[in-house]
Amino acid sequence: MQQNDFLKHVVQTLEDLDIPYAIVGSFASSVHGEPRFTNDIDVVFDLQERTLTENTF
């Protein structure tokens, strides 16, 4: 799976589960005009007890 495809899958899953998230790190900075090539994607998401009890993973 390509990096962009993986990111799309992760984002879609988080959105389907209504989990707040942010794309950070080098991937985000590259999108906003400051390229960095670390070949990873950093995703921060907010897992609260509500989220863990309402959704099954």
Side-chain angles (χ1 to χ4, degrees):
M1 179 179 286
Q2 296 293 320
Q3 191 177 47
N4 285 343
D5 295 330
F6 177 74
L7 178 59
K8 287 178 189 177
H9 175 73
V10 169
V11 166
Q12 187 62 57
T13 300
L14 292 171
E15 289 183 356
D16 288 347
L17 295 173
D18 197 29
I19 297 174
Y21 67 91
I23 309 300
V24 298
S26 62
F27 192 88
S29 70
S30 294
V31 171
H32 291 285
E34 189 65 37
R36 293 175 39 210
F37 301 103
T38 60
N39 202 26
D40 66 346
I41 301 173
D42 301 305
V43 180
V44 177
F45 49 95
D46 184 14
L47 287 182
Q48 299 176 11
E49 185 176 355
R50 171 194 61 82
T51 306
L52 295 174
T53 56
E54 291 176 2
N55 299 298
T56 56
F57 295 95

